Every structure is written in C-alpha cells, then in structure tokens.
Amino acid sequence: MFNCETVRADFPILNRQIHSQPLVYFDNAATSQKPKAVIQAISDYYTGYNSNIHRGVHTLSGEATDAYEGARGRIGRWFGTEDLGEIILLRGATEALNLVAASLAHNLRSGDVILVGTTEHHANIVPWQQLETSIGIKIVPIPVDSRGTLSLDKARELTRNNRVKVIAIGHVSNAIGAVNDAAGFVSLAREINAFSVIDGAQAAPHMRVNCALLGADFYVLSAHKCCGPTGIGVLIGRRALLDELPPWQGGGDMIDRVSFSGTTYNELPWKFEAGTPNIAGTIGFAAALDYLEKIDFDGAIAHENRVHRHLIKAMKSRKSVELLGNPENWVSVCSFNIKGAHPNDVGTLLDQLGFAVRTGHHCAMPTMEHFNLPGTCRASLAFYNSIDEVDAFIEGLDRVAGMLAG
Ligand code: PMP
C-alpha cells in the first residue's frame, strides 16, 4: 500500500530548506528527485565493482556486465518488452529521438511528410527539422485542441496527403500535462503504413506504459524523470525495424568485426550502443524501477493524481490565475500565469518562499506560440508531493499575486 509520508523519508533532498523555508519541489517534469536506493546502487557500483563491461574476462568486468545487462532486463520487464534486443540504452530521450530521426532518414525522400505534434518538446521537433534541411522532407504540425490535447481527427485529415511517412507525438506534453491518445496515433500510423514515434519522457513517470500493448514502432523515455539518474534514456523499437536500420554512431561495442577491408556490425541491441555506456546510470535506473515497484507504483499514481486534482481545483478558483490547457486526461503538470505578471517574477518570488517551479517556454516554444504566451510558470508533481504541500503552495501563490498586484 502506497504511503506518501513513508515514501518521502526515502528522498533525502526533501528535507532541505530553501531560504529558510522547507523545500516544496514542484519541478518534477524537469527532473524527479532520487530515492536513497538509487543513490546507494550507484555508490555500490563505484565502490564495489566499477569496471568496463562486455569484453573483460576478470571478475569485476563480469559483475559490471551482469549488472548492466540485468538492468536492461529490468527495464524490459517494466515496459512490457520481452525481447531485450529491442531495448537500446542511450543518453536520454533526446538522444533516442535523434537516433530515430537520423536512422529513419535512410527510408525518407525529399517531399515526404512527417506529422509532428504542435505541443512537442523541442527534442521531438528539431531532429525532424534537421531532416528538412538535409533531405527536404516536410514537417506538418498536428493541431492541438483548445484544451491542449493533440487532435487525432485533424491528424487523420492530414494523412490524406499520401506522403505522410512518420507520425511523431508526445504521449504526455511537458508544458501542459495533456495525455495524448498514443494508441490512436499508433494505429493511425499503421493504417497508412507510416512509422509511429512516441515520446514517452513525460508519460513513463506517471502511468504504466506497456510497449508491447501499445505497439509503437519507436517509444522513447528518460530515466531521470522516473527517479533514476541523469544521462540515461531508452529507445524501445520493434526488432524488425531496428534490424533493418543502419547503425547510428560508430565505435566500440557496436561492431562484430572491424577491418580496413570492411566492418560488420553487432547484433541488437548493441548495434546502436557505440562506446562505453552509462553503466552506473543504467544500474541506477534499474534500482529506481525496483523502488517504484516496492512502493506500490499503482498506489503512487493514484495518490499523485489526487494531489494533482486538488491543485488544479484550487488554481481554477483563483481569479488572478490563468491556466494553460484544461485537458480531459491530465497528469502532473499545472502550467499557469498570474494575470499581468511575468512568469520569471512569479517563479523568483515563489523560490523565496521555498517553492521550486520552472518558468519559461519549457523547451516547447511552438506551444507557447500557439497559445500566444511568452511563457508560463509550471508546477509539476510527483508521487512524493502531498496535499499539504499543495495547500502551502496555494497560500504562497496568493501572497505572491498580492505582492505583484501591489
Ligand atoms: N521529451 C519530453 C516530453 C521532455 O519533457 C523531455 C525532458 N524535458 C525530453 C523529451 C528530453 O529528455 P532528456 O532530458 O532525457 O533528453
């Protein structure tokens, strides 16, 4: 059974004071905090069996290899992927999306169309734009409805252009928190024989994601938003496609044999993992998933959603507050502005009171452009946040609004 108070004790940083106030950490969409179990797993690796993986015959290398490959298995079990060749371990969601775009480029021709959600993070826009420049593909944004959710119907209309070859959308938008119909977009892509690319960076921390059930061609996510370390992310792709795609980066580990007369490549997943990977980070991510299982992840999500609803309700009751979006299916995020105030001023004053929120465009400038905003303040929750913290935040925000009005 999930218990918020018990769980909070697992996160040492939550005891910090900021400007002599207890820290209230509402910047989880940027990165989550790390429980002791994750910090310990990383420390155990460096103190007990730090070694490079795969090619060593000595004991430490064997232990590190077992832990690294074991972590891949853990990740596979969490995300419903049995075939570990389909799990590519990378530096983050950004790197995973760059890999997918660069590799798919070999299947695309000038004039081909890629549908990209209007509310995407820059990581799911810019790699596609680079293909506009290099091979002349065309990006068409998928419209967003007034509530902040990507419109599957409008996307379907756009697929009447029979040159749509890729549909790339976020499972959850990072600036709004809208849960998009990932399954709907995956089946739309399948109907028209296009590739589906789902950015799950903001979904994985807030819901059970089963990649086998979802059936996307490519699903990417990031450990650091799921209580894991920074610098580790995952691409889960379909074996048949990954097998066909050329390797992305060249170097050690991704090869089978190298000779000046020609090089052959390693099998999946290592074909896409050139160089020494983030061994400690991968082990730390597996520890994070073990931890999430242990605390009752489903109970944690239910709690977090309750706290989120409480926050949204309180925010909607404030005349001084304008919310960005109002999605039917909404997780973690509350993006807002205080009328007449700049988000940076609001964020700075909130920090003085101990509240950590993010301000600005949240790496989603087209979202801001679409809603005609310079930026927002974004409070984003994790399961270790409490109703009490939300109540304190609302009180703090009322004070800040009063200060800025005065
Ligand atoms: N996509 C989304 C929706 C994100 O929120 C983020 C992180 N802000 C990224 C991609 C990039 O992830 P990473 O930090 O792992 O590169």
PDB file of all heavy atoms in Angstrom, residues 29-30 91-95 97 121 123-124 172-174 199 201-202 221-225 232-233 363 378, ligand 1:
ATOM      1  N   ALA A  29       8.673  17.691 -13.675  1.00  0.00           N
ATOM      2  CA  ALA A  29       8.684  17.456 -15.117  1.00  0.00           C
ATOM      3  C   ALA A  29      10.075  17.730 -15.689  1.00  0.00           C
ATOM      4  O   ALA A  29      10.444  17.192 -16.725  1.00  0.00           O
ATOM      5  CB  ALA A  29       7.645  18.333 -15.805  1.00  0.00           C
ATOM      6  N   ALA A  30      10.840  18.582 -15.008  1.00  0.00           N
ATOM      7  CA  ALA A  30      12.222  18.834 -15.455  1.00  0.00           C
ATOM      8  C   ALA A  30      13.106  17.661 -15.054  1.00  0.00           C
ATOM      9  O   ALA A  30      13.835  17.109 -15.867  1.00  0.00           O
ATOM     10  CB  ALA A  30      12.741  20.138 -14.861  1.00  0.00           C
ATOM     11  N   ARG A  91      21.646   8.017 -23.971  1.00  0.00           N
ATOM     12  CA  ARG A  91      21.938   9.078 -23.005  1.00  0.00           C
ATOM     13  C   ARG A  91      20.661   9.743 -22.465  1.00  0.00           C
ATOM     14  O   ARG A  91      20.675  10.359 -21.415  1.00  0.00           O
ATOM     15  CB  ARG A  91      22.815  10.119 -23.708  1.00  0.00           C
ATOM     16  CG  ARG A  91      23.596  11.052 -22.832  1.00  0.00           C
ATOM     17  CD  ARG A  91      24.771  11.642 -23.588  1.00  0.00           C
ATOM     18  NE  ARG A  91      24.381  12.244 -24.855  1.00  0.00           N
ATOM     19  CZ  ARG A  91      23.904  13.470 -25.001  1.00  0.00           C
ATOM     20  NH1 ARG A  91      23.733  14.248 -23.960  1.00  0.00           N
ATOM     21  NH2 ARG A  91      23.602  13.940 -26.200  1.00  0.00           N
ATOM     22  N   GLY A  92      19.588   9.644 -23.187  1.00  0.00           N
ATOM     23  CA  GLY A  92      18.344  10.283 -22.738  1.00  0.00           C
ATOM     24  C   GLY A  92      17.312  10.199 -23.845  1.00  0.00           C
ATOM     25  O   GLY A  92      17.572   9.629 -24.914  1.00  0.00           O
ATOM     26  N   ALA A  93      16.140  10.779 -23.573  1.00  0.00           N
ATOM     27  CA  ALA A  93      15.094  10.793 -24.598  1.00  0.00           C
ATOM     28  C   ALA A  93      15.543  11.601 -25.811  1.00  0.00           C
ATOM     29  O   ALA A  93      15.226  11.262 -26.955  1.00  0.00           O
ATOM     30  CB  ALA A  93      13.804  11.368 -24.012  1.00  0.00           C
ATOM     31  N   THR A  94      16.296  12.657 -25.569  1.00  0.00           N
ATOM     32  CA  THR A  94      16.777  13.494 -26.675  1.00  0.00           C
ATOM     33  C   THR A  94      17.647  12.674 -27.617  1.00  0.00           C
ATOM     34  O   THR A  94      17.461  12.698 -28.841  1.00  0.00           O
ATOM     35  CB  THR A  94      17.598  14.680 -26.126  1.00  0.00           C
ATOM     36  OG1 THR A  94      16.761  15.430 -25.241  1.00  0.00           O
ATOM     37  CG2 THR A  94      18.103  15.575 -27.236  1.00  0.00           C
ATOM     38  N   GLU A  95      18.592  11.938 -27.042  1.00  0.00           N
ATOM     39  CA  GLU A  95      19.474  11.144 -27.898  1.00  0.00           C
ATOM     40  C   GLU A  95      18.671  10.081 -28.641  1.00  0.00           C
ATOM     41  O   GLU A  95      18.912   9.815 -29.814  1.00  0.00           O
ATOM     42  CB  GLU A  95      20.594  10.490 -27.083  1.00  0.00           C
ATOM     43  CG  GLU A  95      21.627   9.853 -27.986  1.00  0.00           C
ATOM     44  CD  GLU A  95      22.860   9.364 -27.237  1.00  0.00           C
ATOM     45  OE1 GLU A  95      22.735   8.426 -26.441  1.00  0.00           O
ATOM     46  OE2 GLU A  95      23.931   9.933 -27.451  1.00  0.00           O
ATOM     47  N   LEU A  97      15.559  10.197 -29.647  1.00  0.00           N
ATOM     48  CA  LEU A  97      14.812  10.793 -30.769  1.00  0.00           C
ATOM     49  C   LEU A  97      15.754  11.168 -31.912  1.00  0.00           C
ATOM     50  O   LEU A  97      15.404  11.020 -33.089  1.00  0.00           O
ATOM     51  CB  LEU A  97      14.020  12.016 -30.280  1.00  0.00           C
ATOM     52  CG  LEU A  97      12.814  11.650 -29.399  1.00  0.00           C
ATOM     53  CD1 LEU A  97      12.314  12.850 -28.603  1.00  0.00           C
ATOM     54  CD2 LEU A  97      11.674  11.067 -30.251  1.00  0.00           C
ATOM     55  N   HIS A 121       7.922  18.713 -27.221  1.00  0.00           N
ATOM     56  CA  HIS A 121       9.193  19.202 -26.697  1.00  0.00           C
ATOM     57  C   HIS A 121      10.133  19.391 -27.894  1.00  0.00           C
ATOM     58  O   HIS A 121      10.032  18.667 -28.885  1.00  0.00           O
ATOM     59  CB  HIS A 121       9.743  18.138 -25.744  1.00  0.00           C
ATOM     60  CG  HIS A 121      10.967  18.525 -24.986  1.00  0.00           C
ATOM     61  ND1 HIS A 121      12.230  18.497 -25.538  1.00  0.00           N
ATOM     62  CD2 HIS A 121      11.140  18.929 -23.707  1.00  0.00           C
ATOM     63  CE1 HIS A 121      13.124  18.864 -24.632  1.00  0.00           C
ATOM     64  NE2 HIS A 121      12.488  19.142 -23.509  1.00  0.00           N
ATOM     65  N   ALA A 123      12.900  18.387 -28.401  1.00  0.00           N
ATOM     66  CA  ALA A 123      13.617  17.149 -28.733  1.00  0.00           C
ATOM     67  C   ALA A 123      12.865  16.315 -29.762  1.00  0.00           C
ATOM     68  O   ALA A 123      13.459  15.468 -30.432  1.00  0.00           O
ATOM     69  CB  ALA A 123      13.845  16.311 -27.472  1.00  0.00           C
ATOM     70  N   ASN A 124      11.549  16.545 -29.886  1.00  0.00           N
ATOM     71  CA  ASN A 124      10.758  15.808 -30.870  1.00  0.00           C
ATOM     72  C   ASN A 124      10.374  16.713 -32.042  1.00  0.00           C
ATOM     73  O   ASN A 124       9.448  16.414 -32.783  1.00  0.00           O
ATOM     74  CB  ASN A 124       9.500  15.215 -30.205  1.00  0.00           C
ATOM     75  CG  ASN A 124       8.897  14.065 -31.006  1.00  0.00           C
ATOM     76  OD1 ASN A 124       9.554  13.480 -31.873  1.00  0.00           O
ATOM     77  ND2 ASN A 124       7.640  13.750 -30.712  1.00  0.00           N
ATOM     78  N   VAL A 172       2.668  12.398 -23.395  1.00  0.00           N
ATOM     79  CA  VAL A 172       2.173  13.452 -22.496  1.00  0.00           C
ATOM     80  C   VAL A 172       2.984  14.713 -22.804  1.00  0.00           C
ATOM     81  O   VAL A 172       4.213  14.649 -22.890  1.00  0.00           O
ATOM     82  CB  VAL A 172       2.386  13.062 -21.012  1.00  0.00           C
ATOM     83  CG1 VAL A 172       2.077  14.232 -20.085  1.00  0.00           C
ATOM     84  CG2 VAL A 172       1.523  11.856 -20.639  1.00  0.00           C
ATOM     85  N   SER A 173       2.287  15.848 -22.970  1.00  0.00           N
ATOM     86  CA  SER A 173       3.008  17.087 -23.285  1.00  0.00           C
ATOM     87  C   SER A 173       3.651  17.654 -22.020  1.00  0.00           C
ATOM     88  O   SER A 173       3.027  17.669 -20.960  1.00  0.00           O
ATOM     89  CB  SER A 173       2.043  18.120 -23.886  1.00  0.00           C
ATOM     90  OG  SER A 173       1.005  18.374 -22.963  1.00  0.00           O
ATOM     91  N   ASN A 174       4.888  18.107 -22.164  1.00  0.00           N
ATOM     92  CA  ASN A 174       5.605  18.521 -20.950  1.00  0.00           C
ATOM     93  C   ASN A 174       5.198  19.920 -20.478  1.00  0.00           C
ATOM     94  O   ASN A 174       5.343  20.233 -19.304  1.00  0.00           O
ATOM     95  CB  ASN A 174       7.126  18.457 -21.152  1.00  0.00           C
ATOM     96  CG  ASN A 174       7.632  19.543 -22.055  1.00  0.00           C
ATOM     97  OD1 ASN A 174       7.079  19.764 -23.117  1.00  0.00           O
ATOM     98  ND2 ASN A 174       8.658  20.247 -21.626  1.00  0.00           N
ATOM     99  N   ASP A 199       7.095   9.941 -27.966  1.00  0.00           N
ATOM    100  CA  ASP A 199       7.988  10.475 -26.937  1.00  0.00           C
ATOM    101  C   ASP A 199       7.304  10.275 -25.579  1.00  0.00           C
ATOM    102  O   ASP A 199       6.369  10.993 -25.233  1.00  0.00           O
ATOM    103  CB  ASP A 199       8.236  11.964 -27.227  1.00  0.00           C
ATOM    104  CG  ASP A 199       9.072  12.625 -26.134  1.00  0.00           C
ATOM    105  OD1 ASP A 199       9.426  11.941 -25.144  1.00  0.00           O
ATOM    106  OD2 ASP A 199       9.352  13.827 -26.269  1.00  0.00           O
ATOM    107  N   ALA A 201       8.715  10.571 -22.591  1.00  0.00           N
ATOM    108  CA  ALA A 201       9.521  11.122 -21.476  1.00  0.00           C
ATOM    109  C   ALA A 201       8.638  11.573 -20.306  1.00  0.00           C
ATOM    110  O   ALA A 201       9.011  11.408 -19.144  1.00  0.00           O
ATOM    111  CB  ALA A 201      10.391  12.278 -21.968  1.00  0.00           C
ATOM    112  N   GLN A 202       7.447  12.152 -20.619  1.00  0.00           N
ATOM    113  CA  GLN A 202       6.592  12.655 -19.543  1.00  0.00           C
ATOM    114  C   GLN A 202       5.481  11.672 -19.180  1.00  0.00           C
ATOM    115  O   GLN A 202       4.706  11.933 -18.269  1.00  0.00           O
ATOM    116  CB  GLN A 202       5.968  14.004 -19.933  1.00  0.00           C
ATOM    117  CG  GLN A 202       6.968  15.126 -20.112  1.00  0.00           C
ATOM    118  CD  GLN A 202       7.648  15.546 -18.802  1.00  0.00           C
ATOM    119  OE1 GLN A 202       7.187  15.220 -17.703  1.00  0.00           O
ATOM    120  NE2 GLN A 202       8.741  16.284 -18.912  1.00  0.00           N
ATOM    121  N   LEU A 221      12.057   7.190 -23.757  1.00  0.00           N
ATOM    122  CA  LEU A 221      11.826   7.693 -22.398  1.00  0.00           C
ATOM    123  C   LEU A 221      13.151   7.984 -21.730  1.00  0.00           C
ATOM    124  O   LEU A 221      14.218   7.667 -22.265  1.00  0.00           O
ATOM    125  CB  LEU A 221      11.022   6.681 -21.593  1.00  0.00           C
ATOM    126  CG  LEU A 221      11.706   5.319 -21.442  1.00  0.00           C
ATOM    127  CD1 LEU A 221      12.208   5.138 -20.020  1.00  0.00           C
ATOM    128  CD2 LEU A 221      10.737   4.212 -21.821  1.00  0.00           C
ATOM    129  N   SER A 222      13.042   8.577 -20.555  1.00  0.00           N
ATOM    130  CA  SER A 222      14.206   9.108 -19.883  1.00  0.00           C
ATOM    131  C   SER A 222      14.196   8.676 -18.410  1.00  0.00           C
ATOM    132  O   SER A 222      13.173   8.811 -17.743  1.00  0.00           O
ATOM    133  CB  SER A 222      14.095  10.627 -19.981  1.00  0.00           C
ATOM    134  OG  SER A 222      15.263  11.210 -19.593  1.00  0.00           O
ATOM    135  N   ALA A 223      15.331   8.159 -17.915  1.00  0.00           N
ATOM    136  CA  ALA A 223      15.372   7.655 -16.534  1.00  0.00           C
ATOM    137  C   ALA A 223      15.212   8.766 -15.496  1.00  0.00           C
ATOM    138  O   ALA A 223      14.580   8.576 -14.457  1.00  0.00           O
ATOM    139  CB  ALA A 223      16.693   6.925 -16.291  1.00  0.00           C
ATOM    140  N   HIS A 224      15.793   9.929 -15.818  1.00  0.00           N
ATOM    141  CA  HIS A 224      15.872  10.948 -14.754  1.00  0.00           C
ATOM    142  C   HIS A 224      14.516  11.542 -14.376  1.00  0.00           C
ATOM    143  O   HIS A 224      14.395  12.230 -13.371  1.00  0.00           O
ATOM    144  CB  HIS A 224      16.887  12.043 -15.122  1.00  0.00           C
ATOM    145  CG  HIS A 224      16.454  12.974 -16.204  1.00  0.00           C
ATOM    146  ND1 HIS A 224      15.752  14.117 -15.939  1.00  0.00           N
ATOM    147  CD2 HIS A 224      16.649  12.962 -17.545  1.00  0.00           C
ATOM    148  CE1 HIS A 224      15.530  14.767 -17.087  1.00  0.00           C
ATOM    149  NE2 HIS A 224      16.066  14.074 -18.073  1.00  0.00           N
ATOM    150  N   LYS A 225      13.490  11.264 -15.187  1.00  0.00           N
ATOM    151  CA  LYS A 225      12.152  11.740 -14.821  1.00  0.00           C
ATOM    152  C   LYS A 225      11.405  10.678 -14.016  1.00  0.00           C
ATOM    153  O   LYS A 225      10.293  10.886 -13.571  1.00  0.00           O
ATOM    154  CB  LYS A 225      11.355  12.083 -16.074  1.00  0.00           C
ATOM    155  CG  LYS A 225      12.151  12.930 -17.057  1.00  0.00           C
ATOM    156  CD  LYS A 225      11.390  14.051 -17.637  1.00  0.00           C
ATOM    157  CE  LYS A 225      12.151  14.712 -18.771  1.00  0.00           C
ATOM    158  NZ  LYS A 225      12.479  16.087 -18.506  1.00  0.00           N
ATOM    159  N   ILE A 232      20.739   8.852 -18.805  1.00  0.00           N
ATOM    160  CA  ILE A 232      20.354   7.517 -19.259  1.00  0.00           C
ATOM    161  C   ILE A 232      18.904   7.551 -19.766  1.00  0.00           C
ATOM    162  O   ILE A 232      18.008   8.044 -19.091  1.00  0.00           O
ATOM    163  CB  ILE A 232      20.577   6.427 -18.167  1.00  0.00           C
ATOM    164  CG1 ILE A 232      20.147   5.046 -18.653  1.00  0.00           C
ATOM    165  CG2 ILE A 232      19.919   6.770 -16.847  1.00  0.00           C
ATOM    166  CD1 ILE A 232      21.146   4.408 -19.551  1.00  0.00           C
ATOM    167  N   GLY A 233      18.740   7.067 -20.963  1.00  0.00           N
ATOM    168  CA  GLY A 233      17.405   7.034 -21.564  1.00  0.00           C
ATOM    169  C   GLY A 233      17.271   5.767 -22.384  1.00  0.00           C
ATOM    170  O   GLY A 233      18.251   5.036 -22.575  1.00  0.00           O
ATOM    171  N   CYS A 363      11.058  24.373 -23.164  1.00  0.00           N
ATOM    172  CA  CYS A 363      11.509  23.658 -24.388  1.00  0.00           C
ATOM    173  C   CYS A 363      10.323  23.283 -25.260  1.00  0.00           C
ATOM    174  O   CYS A 363      10.306  22.202 -25.871  1.00  0.00           O
ATOM    175  CB  CYS A 363      12.333  22.423 -24.054  1.00  0.00           C
ATOM    176  SG  CYS A 363      13.883  22.806 -23.281  1.00  0.00           S
ATOM    177  N   ARG A 378       5.445  26.626 -14.295  1.00  0.00           N
ATOM    178  CA  ARG A 378       4.967  25.245 -14.361  1.00  0.00           C
ATOM    179  C   ARG A 378       5.233  24.549 -13.033  1.00  0.00           C
ATOM    180  O   ARG A 378       6.375  24.362 -12.645  1.00  0.00           O
ATOM    181  CB  ARG A 378       5.676  24.503 -15.487  1.00  0.00           C
ATOM    182  CG  ARG A 378       5.211  23.062 -15.652  1.00  0.00           C
ATOM    183  CD  ARG A 378       6.014  22.329 -16.714  1.00  0.00           C
ATOM    184  NE  ARG A 378       7.387  22.121 -16.298  1.00  0.00           N
ATOM    185  CZ  ARG A 378       8.342  21.553 -17.043  1.00  0.00           C
ATOM    186  NH1 ARG A 378       8.046  21.158 -18.280  1.00  0.00           N
ATOM    187  NH2 ARG A 378       9.566  21.395 -16.592  1.00  0.00           N
TER     188      ARG A 378
HETATM  189  N1  PMP B   1      10.640  14.954 -24.369  1.00  0.00           N
HETATM  190  C1  PMP B   1       9.923  15.483 -23.366  1.00  0.00           C
HETATM  191  C2  PMP B   1       8.425  15.499 -23.465  1.00  0.00           C
HETATM  192  C3  PMP B   1      10.581  16.004 -22.254  1.00  0.00           C
HETATM  193  O1  PMP B   1       9.860  16.548 -21.265  1.00  0.00           O
HETATM  194  C4  PMP B   1      11.977  15.951 -22.187  1.00  0.00           C
HETATM  195  C5  PMP B   1      12.740  16.482 -20.979  1.00  0.00           C
HETATM  196  N2  PMP B   1      12.470  17.796 -20.660  1.00  0.00           N
HETATM  197  C6  PMP B   1      12.682  15.392 -23.246  1.00  0.00           C
HETATM  198  C7  PMP B   1      11.972  14.878 -24.327  1.00  0.00           C
HETATM  199  C8  PMP B   1      14.163  15.292 -23.232  1.00  0.00           C
HETATM  200  O2  PMP B   1      14.558  14.267 -22.386  1.00  0.00           O
HETATM  201  P1  PMP B   1      16.054  14.078 -21.895  1.00  0.00           P
HETATM  202  O3  PMP B   1      16.248  15.036 -20.776  1.00  0.00           O
HETATM  203  O4  PMP B   1      16.116  12.664 -21.458  1.00  0.00           O
HETATM  204  O5  PMP B   1      16.946  14.330 -23.048  1.00  0.00           O
END
